[in-house]
Amino acid sequence: MINTFIASCQRRSPAFASLFVAGLLGLAGAAPAWGQADTLASLPRQLARYEKARIQEKLFLHLDRPVYLSGETMWFKVYAVDGTYSRPLTLSSVAYVEVLDAKNHPVLQGKIALKNAVGQGSFVVPASVASGSYTVRAYTSWMKNCAPEAYFHSPVTVLNTFVASGAAARPAKDSVAFEAQFFPEGGNLVQGLRSKVAVQVTNPAGHGVAATGKVLNQKGAVVATFSTLRLGMGSFLFTPASAQETYTAVLTLGPGQTISRPLPRVFAQGYVMHLERSGSNQLTLTVDATQRPTETLFLLAHSRQQTALATRMQLVNGHAIYVFRPDQLLGGVSHFTVFNEAQQPVAERLYFQRPTPGLTLMAQADKPQYGPRDKVQVQLALGGLAPTANASLSMAVYRLDSLTATPALSIDRYLGLTSELKGTVENPDYYFTANDPEAADNLMLTQGWSRFRWEDVLAQSLPAPKFLPEPNGPVVQARLTRVGTTTPRPGVMTYLSSPSRIIRLTNAVSNEEGLVQFEMHHFDGPQDLVVQTDPQQDSTCHIQLIEPFSTRFRSGGPGLTYGLTPRFQPDYEKRHLQAQVQNLYFGKYRSRYARERVDSLAFYGKPDETYLLDKYTRFKVLEEVLREYVPGVVVRIRKDGFHFLVADKVNKTLLEENPMVLLDGVPVFNINKIMAMPAIKIRKLEVVDSRYFQGLAVYNGVVSFSTYKGDLEGFQLDPRVLVERYEGVQRQREFYAPRYDTPAAAQSRLPDLRNLLYWNPNITATGTQPQTLSFFTGDQAGRYLVVMQGLTADGQPASQQMVLEVKPAL
């Protein structure tokens, strides 16, 4: 019955999680008083409920290469996936992509449009960026509800060969710059209980280094020794004698290099968990506790928030044990959490089981080697799929040299391992290819984390998420406050527009926190946004746009920036020459953008009346224009000036209040100012002859004036109106590569020193049917790496690499 229930809990909706270990100290709030018979079922049920309300979204970016020179273009494709099954997820229509320096300052930012769970974008690396290590990170608005560790992160290197002095130099080798961290298995060290403690030693760049060490008590006696294994990670067994005692680890990094670091604090009471292989196909999980009375514990194992295992463990004389098979777990990273009888989490750890290989990408070049300006044909096919299955793929081909030794991050490794861990994983391929369970276990102990708090999962009701998804385009947020204060202004109707020949207007009412949200459709590139309130309703409101990019960052960074290394000077010079030649001869192709279909229809649809004023007798003032040949608008002059009354053709009457008056889509509430505008500047006039409902606003008709350029023609807006330059979603830059299909093209005297031969983010593959992709080599001989990434509609990720040889001309 339990297995049936567990199977029913394996849902598509994922959730983010992080362990609340305060339950170990008795600090967690009291859980609901469920009986033991219900607890085993309620824990998976509560987790499933949380998953459904907090769908887990992940992003993966396929970057075209790992190293860029200033002035070069960084290309990338965005895959949006369901965090549970890795299936394409269409929850968001916008991805936020940033390039961060070592201090987490963004040097490049962009909003990338997502359609059918994929998107593509690019950055031109500016000349002001210093040489160094950078991090590309990506997330959606919905993902901002989670810790920044859940965002996509990938390291890249930027080389500024123009300003070598602008790069920060490497620090002198100093043991103080090295770091050692200790991670007790299960979460805590407990007095009198033997624990497995993992250790990780890293250099300033975050790379693991070898070390040996010993643990000393307060008297200086050695109570444990250890040595790291692969990539600076290792483990040792240790029994703390007292909660009042502190322990220090002394590590030796090399001749004359030692560092001292304290071990985590020891608790007087608590639980210790231990998981180990007890046979070729058997795992044993044990729990030890300081309390001796008999107690029923509950064990829950989940992978990517899918419940895989739920069982009771009887604690007798402070000891409980449970034996199970690894195939009961799901592939990838599994979270093991132990709960006490009060449903408080008391211990947690991670376990990695290599996922079963699924989709395979098969690629075959048509020749064993190529010459300069030679045509390359790569045949691509999917393996292990039904004939009707389809996948979205991307492919990059770049030159290998001494500067591009960093392996590319692959989508299957990311979704199966690194996206579930908090820290950086060196060489994730190793854990998928090598049979080294000890190395995998050390990685789990040193990099583990959880994405939610268990008290949120077990709560009777879930708090509303702070950030909502953006399913229909970017959402522009603004905050309304009283002038000169931070007091929010709730309940104020606010209008957002952008001067353009395309008439777009949206509105929103501020909430109790003074926040307004505007959903923007077809909003791309930099535009001037105009945000205002109706002066008759509110004339003392201060408006401030809210930056959509996340201001939270994961702990640590990409490492220190560095200067140019003298031994690579010839490679720098060669790459510099290549980049400058390409910019000189092919730089004009860098700013070619794909054409996009634009809906030119105004937000109010087809108007009842349309007047192109050049087709009529031109009058000097707008009052004459309206009185002479616009019957749908009646002009009245009162004590406060001009008023418009729109004829309601539906009810055969005049609407009594002023209509919504627009100039190039921008609301103008002072009709006297619009009437003072020279009529010669107006190209078109449109009228909606009835009440018009938009959101929560009701307009007494619409009178829309359009200038020739859609730029307001010098019209002065009210000084209380906020006008701010704002970046919409990024326009899609087209990748350019020369083709040598004809003898004349092949004999062109223009040098072709491309480092990136090919970039294609729009490959669609169906079943096992092969397709051929073609491109041309340049003038540079060498080895070129072909990197392919992809994801099927049913959530199977795959990546493949191959090397092409280009021989010099004889």
Side-chain angles (χ1 to χ4, degrees):
M1 180 178 295
I2 291 175
N3 290 338
T4 303
F5 175 79
I6 293 171
S8 70
C9 291
Q10 296 180 3
R11 306 196 168 169
R12 190 190 74 77
S13 305
F16 298 111
S18 76
L19 174 67
F20 181 66
V21 295
L24 178 65
L25 307 176
L27 299 178
W34 288 296
Q36 292 184 10
D38 297 330
T39 301
L40 189 60
S42 69
L43 288 173
R45 186 168 59 242
Q46 295 288 88
L47 180 59
R49 183 197 64 149
Y50 188 87
E51 296 172 34
K52 191 172 183 180
R54 296 290 187 269
I55 295 176
Q56 184 184 355
E57 186 177 30
K58 291 183 182 181
L59 295 183
F60 174 79
L61 264 62
H62 176 192
L63 300 169
D64 62 312
R65 47 192 159 159
V67 178
Y68 303 90
L69 263 65
S70 56
E72 291 185 331
T73 302
M74 175 189 300
W75 303 88
F76 53 86
K77 179 175 180 177
V78 185
Y79 294 86
V81 301
D82 178 317
T84 299
Y85 292 107
S86 302
R87 294 171 182 164
L89 182 64
T90 58
L91 178 66
S92 299
S93 63
V94 181
Y96 298 89
V97 181
E98 302 176 283
V99 179
L100 308 176
D101 63 15
K103 296 181 179 179
N104 285 327
H105 296 152
V107 298
L108 291 166
Q109 292 179 318
K111 306 178 185 75
I112 308 303
L114 299 178
K115 186 176 181 181
N116 297 326
V118 295
Q120 56 180 295
S122 60
F123 289 129
V124 176
V125 181
S128 59
V129 174
S131 297
S133 296
Y134 292 80
T135 297
V136 178
R137 77 167 184 171
Y139 50 90
T140 65
S141 174
W142 179 252
M143 291 172 65
K144 290 193 293 184
N145 290 301
C146 304
E149 282 78 7
Y151 303 167
F152 171 86
H153 294 84
S154 180
V156 296
T157 299
V158 174
L159 300 175
N160 191 330
T161 54
F162 287 99
V163 189
S165 60
R170 287 186 183 272
K173 198 169 185 180
D174 185 0
S175 61
V176 177
F178 289 80
E179 188 55 70
Q181 294 178 290
F182 297 88
F183 307 86
E185 184 178 18
N188 291 281
L189 293 174
V190 181
Q191 173 182 309
L193 299 182
R194 192 185 194 198
S195 295
K196 184 177 184 179
V197 181
V199 57
Q200 182 180 35
V201 186
T202 55
N203 61 18
H207 300 147
V209 295
T212 60
K214 53 188 177 182
V215 178
L216 309 179
N217 61 16
Q218 290 180 219
K219 297 180 180 179
V222 177
V223 294
T225 60
F226 60 88
S227 60
T228 60
L229 300 175
R230 178 175 172 78
L231 299 176
M233 293 180 288
S235 62
F236 60 92
L237 296 174
F238 171 55
T239 304
S242 172
Q244 284 72 41
E245 191 162 9
T246 58
Y247 296 89
T248 303
V250 179
L251 298 93
T252 301
L253 307 176
Q257 279 191 311
T258 61
I259 60 174
S260 297
R261 294 292 185 268
L263 262 64
R265 62 168 291 195
V266 179
F267 294 94
Q269 302 289 329
Y271 301 78
V272 168
M273 177 200 299
H274 181 58
L275 178 65
E276 65 178 351
R277 286 184 174 270
S278 52
S280 59
N281 191 33
Q282 184 172 280
L283 292 172
T284 299
L285 187 143
T286 58
V287 178
D288 291 291
T290 52
Q291 59 188 41
R292 294 302 178 181
T294 301
E295 181 185 8
T296 300
L297 305 178
F298 303 94
L299 173 66
L300 179 67
H302 64 90
S303 178
R304 299 186 304 277
Q305 287 69 65
Q306 299 177 75
T307 301
L309 188 67
T311 187
R312 294 186 187 88
M313 297 179 65
Q314 201 67 27
L315 190 67
V316 179
N317 294 326
H319 184 75
I321 187 169
Y322 180 70
V323 180
F324 59 98
R325 301 187 315 277
D327 59 14
Q328 293 178 253
L329 304 175
L330 303 174
V333 178
S334 294
H335 297 244
F336 285 84
T337 307
V338 174
F339 299 83
N340 61 16
E341 288 184 342
Q343 278 198 346
Q344 295 172 336
V346 295
E348 182 176 276
R349 66 150 293 168
L350 305 183
Y351 177 81
F352 178 70
Q353 181 158 285
R354 190 187 309 172
T356 303
L359 173 67
T360 57
L361 278 175
M362 298 176 292
Q364 179 66 48
D366 61 330
K367 298 179 183 178
Q369 63 184 40
Y370 298 88
R373 304 194 179 189
D374 203 355
K375 186 175 184 179
V376 180
Q377 291 185 308
V378 175
Q379 193 173 67
L380 182 65
L382 305 177
L385 287 177
T388 58
N390 60 81
S392 178
L393 308 173
S394 48
M395 187 170 90
V397 182
Y398 62 90
R399 189 171 183 268
L400 291 170
D401 56 25
S402 59
L403 306 180
T404 56
T406 304
L409 182 64
S410 61
I411 187 171
D412 51 342
R413 296 339 189 208
Y414 178 76
L415 296 178
L417 177 63
T418 58
S419 65
E420 293 294 313
L421 303 180
K422 182 178 182 178
T424 302
V425 180
E426 288 189 69
N427 190 14
D429 280 346
Y430 180 81
Y431 305 98
F432 287 81
T433 56
N435 184 19
D436 191 348
E438 186 174 9
D441 201 52
N442 287 334
L443 176 68
M444 293 298 103
L445 293 174
T446 58
Q447 301 286 341
W449 76 314
S450 297
R451 298 174 185 261
F452 59 72
R453 300 188 310 166
W454 274 107
E455 69 269 27
D456 290 341
V457 176
L458 302 177
Q460 294 293 335
S461 60
L462 299 178
K466 183 178 179 180
F467 301 97
L468 298 177
E470 297 173 308
N472 301 311
V475 173
V476 177
Q477 288 188 316
R479 177 174 285 107
L480 276 58
T481 57
R482 295 185 185 275
V483 174
T485 71
T486 58
T487 305
R489 289 299 310 273
V492 178
M493 177 64 71
T494 311
Y495 304 91
L496 182 143
S497 56
S498 179
S500 172
R501 296 185 66 177
I502 301 175
I503 309 304
R504 293 173 182 160
L505 174 67
T506 184
N507 61 69
V509 177
S510 58
N511 63 15
E512 293 183 356
E513 298 177 352
L515 296 178
V516 287
Q517 297 189 119
F518 305 96
E519 192 171 69
M520 306 295 290
H521 302 275
H522 309 293
F523 181 41
D524 61 344
Q527 298 185 30
D528 288 328
L529 290 188
V530 179
V531 188
Q532 58 183 311
T533 60
D534 187 342
Q536 295 182 355
Q537 181 193 14
D538 180 274
S539 60
T540 62
C541 195
H542 174 71
I543 305 172
Q544 180 183 12
L545 288 181
I546 298 175
E547 179 63 45
F549 290 94
S550 176
T551 56
R552 298 183 301 151
F553 304 92
R554 68 175 182 176
S555 57
L560 297 177
T561 56
Y562 56 90
L564 304 181
T565 305
R567 68 188 182 95
F568 289 141
Q569 189 64 31
D571 298 287
Y572 297 142
E573 293 175 356
K574 190 172 184 179
R575 285 291 302 273
H576 178 82
L577 175 64
Q578 296 165 2
Q580 297 318 302
V581 168
Q582 290 304 113
N583 288 338
L584 178 63
Y585 292 104
F586 301 99
K588 61 183 178 180
Y589 298 108
R590 176 183 294 167
S591 297
R592 299 199 315 178
Y593 294 90
R595 292 185 177 182
E596 297 182 3
R597 293 183 178 180
V598 179
D599 184 4
S600 60
L601 190 65
F603 75 92
Y604 45 75
K606 185 177 180 181
D608 297 305
E609 302 177 49
T610 301
Y611 303 94
L612 296 174
L613 300 193
D614 286 339
K615 294 184 178 180
Y616 296 84
T617 301
R618 274 294 190 176
F619 295 99
K620 293 183 178 180
V621 294
L622 284 177
E623 181 181 358
E624 292 180 314
V625 172
L626 294 169
R627 292 186 186 277
E628 288 296 328
Y629 50 80
V630 185
V633 181
V634 176
V635 180
R636 292 284 187 266
I637 302 178
R638 300 172 184 168
K639 291 183 180 180
D640 58 347
F642 287 99
H643 289 264
F644 291 164
L645 301 179
V646 170
D648 186 352
K649 290 185 177 181
V650 176
N651 298 306
K652 308 297 183 182
T653 184
L654 288 178
L655 299 173
E656 297 179 356
E657 301 294 335
N658 284 326
M660 172 57 72
V661 179
L662 305 172
L663 177 63
D664 291 333
V666 178
V668 178
F669 296 102
N670 189 338
I671 297 181
N672 293 329
K673 293 185 67 175
I674 196 73
M675 291 296 279
M677 188 171 185
I680 196 65
K681 294 184 177 182
I682 303 301
R683 183 183 71 90
K684 183 174 66 172
L685 171 61
E686 294 181 332
V687 181
V688 176
D689 293 327
S690 61
R691 283 192 174 88
Y692 186 82
F693 298 84
Q694 184 190 32
L696 296 176
V698 181
Y699 308 140
N700 290 288
V702 179
V703 179
S704 176
F705 299 92
S706 298
T707 64
Y708 285 87
K709 296 181 180 179
D711 60 357
L712 301 180
E713 282 282 1
F715 182 84
Q716 294 297 315
L717 296 172
D718 190 291
R720 290 166 296 191
V721 173
L722 174 66
V723 181
E724 188 169 316
R725 197 69 170 171
Y726 195 86
E727 191 80 25
V729 296
Q730 191 179 90
R731 297 179 60 193
Q732 290 188 8
R733 186 181 278 110
E734 289 186 331
F735 176 77
Y736 171 78
R739 298 188 66 85
Y740 303 109
D741 295 294
T742 64
Q747 295 172 7
S748 171
R749 298 179 62 185
L750 292 179
D752 184 356
L753 303 182
R754 287 173 295 145
N755 177 267
L756 179 66
L757 294 183
Y758 185 70
W759 167 251
N760 188 349
N762 296 315
I763 305 172
T764 301
T766 302
T768 56
Q769 180 180 354
Q771 62 173 304
T772 301
L773 304 174
S774 64
F775 55 92
F776 288 83
T777 63
D779 295 338
Q780 293 191 96
R783 300 168 68 245
Y784 289 81
L785 184 65
V786 181
V787 180
M788 292 156 283
Q789 309 274 14
L791 182 70
T792 65
D794 61 352
Q796 296 189 59
S799 64
Q800 184 61 271
Q801 297 183 4
M802 59 182 292
V803 176
L804 303 177
E805 293 282 349
V806 177
K807 297 295 184 180
L810 298 178

